[in-house]
Structures are given as C-alpha cells and as structure tokens.
Amino acid sequence: MTPHSRSLVSDTDFLLFSKIRQAVIDLPDLDYGKDKEDNPVLLSCHMLAMACSRAFEVKAEHGFYLESYRHSWLRLPSGNIIDVYPVAQLGGPILFDAVNFYHSLALYKPLALRNEFNSEEFLGHVVKIEEQIQLAKV
C-alpha cells in the first residue's frame, strides 16, 4: 500500500529518508557509559539527530515537540522533517510532510542550539553513533 502522502514527497526526499531510516534501524545498541550520578547514559533524539545530520549532510534542528518535549529532528532542504527518534512512539524514523501540512509548525518548534549539545561528552556520543552509521553505509 502506498499512502497518499507519498505522492506529496519528492523522490529525492523519500530516497534520503529510506537511507536514514535503514541506518537507524541497523544501529546496534551502544554503550554510552555513565553520567555523573553513575546512571547509564541512554541514546537521545539529540545525539541521534546530530549523528544522522553529520552522516547524511542534512540539517539537525533542536527545539520542542508539541511545545512541551525537548526534541531534535532533521530538516531537509525541501522543508520536510525526518524525525529520527519520534517522541513517545515505537518505530521510526518517520518522514513528516512539513511542506504541504503546515501543522508541523505547531508540532516542531526549532530553537537555537543549546550549550549542552556542544559538550565534549555529548559530541563523543554523537561521533560514536556516526561511526556506526558510516560503517552501515559502506
């Protein structure tokens, strides 16, 4: 079955989405170590979006989903969104037609990059994920 929304998304966007989706599905569970309180560091949408951004040369955006949840996603040159780690959902990534459906403005609210996304520890996690994505792309 091909959903109607597929007819609204360019072949270029759909091909890139397909590659990113497969790369995320193929990612192994990685060990990110422990935080300052000795709790395991878990994969976040912020780490995954930045790693995919670097691996596939697309823009990562950070902000809020539904104005309540801190979140990160990819913004394609067309304006469409790839949500690599959707909030409160099993499954993903998802491709969101943000060109024809303007309610994306209510769902995804970008804000300026936060300082915590520039820390050495955070960027180390991003590099670890990106390396796995690059290996899968070969």
Side-chain angles (χ1 to χ4, degrees):
M1 175 187 88
T2 302
H4 171 67
S5 57
R6 172 59 186 99
S7 68
L8 302 174
V9 174
S10 73
D11 290 342
T12 302
D13 281 7
F14 187 74
L15 179 61
L16 181 57
F17 165 68
S18 297
K19 290 178 181 178
I20 291 171
R21 183 175 184 278
Q22 194 60 53
V24 170
I25 288 169
D26 291 344
L27 272 177
D29 290 326
L30 299 172
D31 183 356
Y32 303 102
K34 299 200 177 209
D35 65 15
K36 294 173 186 167
E37 288 81 38
D38 206 33
N39 298 309
V41 174
L42 302 175
L43 174 68
S44 72
C45 59
H46 313 295
M47 290 188 283
L48 187 56
M50 285 188 69
C52 287
S53 170
R54 292 165 64 146
F56 291 96
E57 299 178 5
V58 295
K59 181 182 178 186
E61 288 188 340
H62 310 283
F64 287 88
Y65 178 77
L66 290 174
E67 296 186 12
S68 300
Y69 302 96
R70 291 172 36 133
H71 194 49
S72 295
W73 57 90
L74 303 177
R75 177 78 64 173
L76 302 181
S78 66
N80 286 325
I81 292 170
I82 297 177
D83 194 335
V84 292
Y85 202 1
V87 173
Q89 297 180 47
L90 289 175
I94 60 171
L95 174 59
F96 191 90
D97 178 358
V99 174
N100 298 294
F101 294 96
Y102 299 107
H103 62 277
S104 66
L105 299 173
L107 296 174
Y108 296 91
K109 297 263 190 197
L111 296 172
L113 183 67
R114 292 176 168 69
N115 289 336
E116 71 259 26
F117 299 146
N118 292 321
S119 76
E120 190 175 319
E121 180 182 14
F122 179 84
L123 292 174
H125 300 321
V126 170
V127 167
K128 191 174 197 177
I129 298 164
E130 181 187 6
E131 287 171 349
Q132 291 298 311
I133 291 171
Q134 295 291 5
L135 285 172
K137 285 173 58 176
V138 176

